Amino acid sequence: MEKTAITPIRSENYPEWYQQVIIAADLAENSAVRGCMVIKPWGYAIWELMQKDLDKRFKKTGHVNAYFPLLIPLSYLEKEATHVDGFAKECAVVTHHRLVADGKGGLKPDGELEEPFVIRPTSETIIGESFAKWVKSYRDLPLLINQWANVMRWEMRTRLFLRTSEFLWQEGHTAHASEDEAIQETKQMLEVYAAFAEEVMAMPVIKGEKPCFERFPGAVNTYCIESMMQDCKALQAGTSHFLGQNFAKASGIEFQNKNGSLEHAWTTSWGMSTRMIGGLIMTHSDDNGLVLPPRIAPQQVVIQPIYRNDEQRETVLAYCQQLKLDLEAQHFAGDEIRVLIDDRDIQGGAKSWEWIKKGVPLRVEVGPRDIEKDAVMLSRRDDLSSKQSTPRAELLANAVMFLTQIQDNLFAKAKSFRDSRITEINSQAEFNAFFASEQNIDSGFVLAYAVDEFAIEEYIKPLKVTARCMPLANNDTPGVCIFTGKPASRKMVFAKAY
RNA sequence: CGGGGCGUAGCGCAGUCUGGUUAGCGCACUUGAUUUGGGAUCAAGGGGUCGUGAGUUCGAAUCCCACCGCCCCGACCA
């Protein structure tokens, strides 16, 4: 059998493969703090690229960035009843404001706070407090704010990127004068997420609405984008919530309308997190490590100089530096092509594999033999057998096309993978059989008519299946709920999930 | 918080049952030589409060007691 860079391979042990890819690509590691990860430079660079692109999209849709406190007074969280229920069980609480010597050479907390603070699990309540101050008139609306922040949710079981106690995200919070406008905002941001996921991360997503029992605590409606991982499990890649007037009432966000009477504003919130990096890994990577879509790759081209002595070194490096400049003069997806010359003194083979494991889209080897021909050895990460001598001029002429092809190929591959694993099901018996079978771990998504009622959860919970969403694109004729037999206007996506 | 397990070099482990040289192995790291276009080989090195504390003993990684920490399995979740 062919030697792979990652062991175990996906088919042997998918969860372990996932961990190994993260280690091999040097993306992140567990920290000394339980449940919290250290995001290493290669992983953080991916996050920075995500931030940069998303931030541009937020600005383009009229949002501005601001920053709100990490600590939320306990009483704020208590204001919205459903919200409390949703987050109470996973909050870190700050109860003291200083340390004193404990007499045993250590320190102990001292100065107990009158009112404890909660480390934000999300910021609806504290941002609501500000919004209430900022909004007086209909002329102050809409208020379109985003914040880039860390949040903390005290998780029992954690996995790098997918579920950590502290994670990085952005949370958009907006307030509007009308229900309709707030709903439009909610849907607009869902579209922004979907476009980002598909265009930049090359992750095909299903846009949908969460069933009532999967809603964000305190929301009227929750919309989401759902993606399929290579083990066929679903991953929620982004959410957008229509909060109605629930939080406006809880925080007192009121405005005077044109008639002079007071109304509660309509608010939304939406977020995407570092969890998406987990999704990126599980969508594209293979048994040789990470595979990065070029648009999210910290380096798009890595040049490996090859030489045996100082004399060759000088010639080869000069050639590489010029090649780097020529590549950087070109633009892919609006940015200079990102090129790195890896001149570290380690063995060539090991170096190649390192960049393969890190998922760099294009690898270029340049040695004296290539320079004689004015060519390079080029290989593509999406096809490791592609390594071949390529004239320098050809590389320069086609670099952008290669990156575009890789980006498109990864998306197309992921999309056909997903599309071939969506099964329509028309009866509960069929549904149970589908998910009951242990062999059906890689069985994919099920699409079936179901009513949007809490009762549905009881049918699917024993199977460890979750209702992911009701796809917005669903334009099917009305049918019958496979669980309750009631008329159902929409189909629902069911899957095992992360 | 319930059930199980583990703390020995950066990582992975052996040694503990049955106390006894200078605590060992693999990977990684450093140096040198030979190599080098798909994951090198050989040689020589560096690195340890054996989780912490208190005991038993001539002698403790090993036995006793207490404490601390971590991991896995269950209820929650972007």
Side-chain angles (χ1 to χ4, degrees):
Chain A
M1 209 169 74
E2 204 176 325
K3 188 184 174 188
T4 57
I6 305 295
T7 42
I9 60 173
R10 288 165 290 179
S11 56
E12 289 168 347
N13 183 345
Y14 194 85
E16 182 57 25
W17 164 85
Y18 173 77
Q19 302 284 353
Q20 292 305 320
V21 170
I22 291 173
I23 294 167
D26 209 23
L27 295 171
E29 63 190 27
N30 282 308
S31 75
V33 183
R34 185 175 62 167
C36 297
M37 64 178 163
V38 175
I39 305 177
K40 299 186 77 174
W42 193 249
Y44 198 78
I46 293 171
W47 178 239
E48 287 179 310
L49 289 164
M50 290 173 64
Q51 284 184 299
K52 192 178 160 204
D53 191 281
L54 274 173
D55 202 64
K56 199 188 288 176
R57 291 173 195 260
F58 298 156
K59 303 272 170 63
K60 230 172 199 167
T61 42
H63 304 85
V64 289
N65 286 331
Y67 187 79
F68 298 85
L70 169 71
L71 300 178
I72 300 178
L74 192 56
S75 58
Y76 285 22
L77 210 66
E78 290 165 345
K79 286 178 184 174
E80 216 291 330
T82 327
H83 195 63
V84 185
D85 286 349
F87 288 107
K89 280 166 281 182
E90 47 184 14
C91 286
V93 187
V94 177
T95 54
H96 294 73
H97 67 85
R98 68 178 168 211
L99 296 167
V100 293
D102 64 0
K104 290 179 281 188
L107 294 166
K108 63 178 182 187
D110 190 49
E112 189 166 356
L113 298 166
E114 267 182 45
E115 182 184 354
F117 289 111
V118 168
I119 298 177
R120 63 180 163 222
T122 178
S123 303
E124 273 75 8
T125 57
I126 194 147
I127 292 182
E129 190 70 12
S130 288
F131 277 19
K133 285 199 293 187
W134 298 347
V135 173
K136 300 288 178 210
S137 149
Y138 70 92
R139 293 194 181 91
D140 298 326
L141 296 173
L143 195 48
L144 306 172
I145 302 284
N146 178 64
Q147 94 164 337
W148 289 97
N150 56 342
V151 285
M152 175 157 275
R153 298 178 187 178
W154 208 266
E155 299 291 350
M156 294 299 144
R157 289 198 60 197
T158 57
R159 295 183 70 186
L160 292 173
F161 292 115
L162 295 174
R163 175 157 297 110
T164 48
S165 287
E166 182 187 8
F167 58 91
L168 305 180
W169 77 346
Q170 57 68 218
E171 46 181 326
H173 294 270
T174 69
H176 306 263
S178 75
E179 176 176 24
D180 192 53
E181 190 185 301
I183 291 172
Q184 288 315 307
E185 165 76 7
T186 310
K187 290 183 174 171
Q188 173 186 243
M189 296 324 287
L190 187 75
E191 293 297 333
V192 167
Y193 285 150
F196 168 78
E198 299 202 332
E199 292 165 13
V200 178
M201 310 291 276
M203 293 169 61
V205 294
I206 296 173
K207 292 175 277 190
E209 183 183 343
K210 285 284 183 196
C212 53
F213 48 89
E214 293 285 349
R215 257 179 224 143
F216 176 76
V220 174
N221 281 310
T222 288
Y223 296 90
C224 61
I225 51 174
E226 292 287 331
S227 56
M228 185 189 283
M229 304 294 101
Q230 290 181 66
D231 61 352
C232 290
K233 282 188 174 177
L235 182 86
Q236 179 177 304
T239 49
S240 185
H241 315 292
F242 169 57
L243 303 173
Q245 292 177 308
N246 294 346
F247 284 89
K249 284 175 181 165
S251 301
I253 310 172
E254 289 181 295
F255 67 98
Q256 257 185 320
N257 62 24
K258 287 180 181 176
N259 305 321
S261 53
L262 276 180
E263 278 186 51
H264 282 108
W266 301 81
T267 65
T268 82
S269 69
W270 27 275
M272 185 177 273
S273 73
T274 42
R275 184 183 216 204
M276 191 70 169
I277 298 174
L280 180 78
I281 296 164
M282 288 196 288
T283 301
H284 303 300
S285 300
D286 62 20
D287 296 333
N288 289 311
L290 189 64
V291 176
L292 288 169
R295 289 189 66 171
I296 209 72
Q299 302 295 348
Q300 290 157 330
V301 183
V302 167
I303 302 173
Q304 268 175 258
I306 291 160
Y307 50 81
R308 297 191 188 203
N309 53 49
D310 285 349
E311 190 188 339
Q312 286 183 347
R313 179 172 190 270
E314 208 171 312
T315 318
V316 170
L317 274 184
Y319 190 93
C320 289
Q321 269 146 13
Q322 187 56 51
L323 181 61
K324 175 173 150 81
L325 288 176
D326 291 343
L327 283 165
E328 285 173 343
Q330 301 193 30
H331 287 72
F332 169 71
D335 292 313
E336 275 181 16
I337 295 183
R338 296 184 283 272
V339 186
L340 176 79
I341 297 174
D342 183 0
D343 188 31
R344 287 174 307 160
D345 181 22
I346 56 174
Q347 233 192 325
K351 195 186 282 187
S352 299
W353 279 103
E354 192 176 311
W355 292 114
I356 290 168
K357 288 185 282 191
K358 280 172 169 284
V360 168
L362 292 175
R363 272 187 323 108
V364 172
E365 295 174 20
V366 177
R369 295 208 298 268
D370 304 304
I371 294 176
E372 272 174 38
K373 296 185 291 182
D374 201 23
V376 302
M377 291 300 292
L378 174 69
S379 48
R380 286 169 56 149
R381 181 60 182 87
D382 63 340
D383 177 14
L384 289 183
S385 65
S386 65
K387 183 169 172 176
Q388 59 177 333
S389 183
T390 308
R392 175 191 149 89
E394 199 176 301
L395 170 64
L396 288 173
N398 296 331
V400 172
M401 185 192 75
F402 290 148
L403 294 173
T404 307
Q405 276 179 357
I406 294 172
Q407 184 80 29
D408 294 348
N409 283 355
L410 291 177
F411 179 77
K413 199 172 154 196
K415 188 166 188 303
S416 76
F417 178 91
R418 182 198 68 185
D419 289 346
S420 66
R421 288 167 177 79
I422 298 178
T423 309
E424 292 221 28
I425 274 181
N426 296 307
S427 74
Q428 192 186 336
E430 216 183 317
F431 184 94
N432 290 347
F434 187 90
F435 283 114
S437 160
E438 279 296 324
Q439 276 83 26
N440 268 356
I441 289 165
D442 58 351
S443 51
F445 290 3
V446 159
L447 198 58
Y449 280 107
V451 288
D452 181 15
E453 291 178 9
F454 283 88
I456 298 300
E457 207 178 7
E458 301 315 311
Y459 292 95
I460 61 176
K461 229 176 183 174
L463 297 165
K464 292 187 173 166
V465 173
T466 56
R468 303 313 300 163
C469 68
M470 299 169 283
L472 298 180
N474 185 354
N475 48 12
D476 289 307
T477 52
V480 176
C481 172
I482 63 166
F483 301 109
T484 63
K486 293 180 187 174
S489 56
R490 301 162 81 177
K491 284 181 181 167
M492 215 176 265
V493 173
F494 297 90
K496 306 226 168 155
Y498 278 100

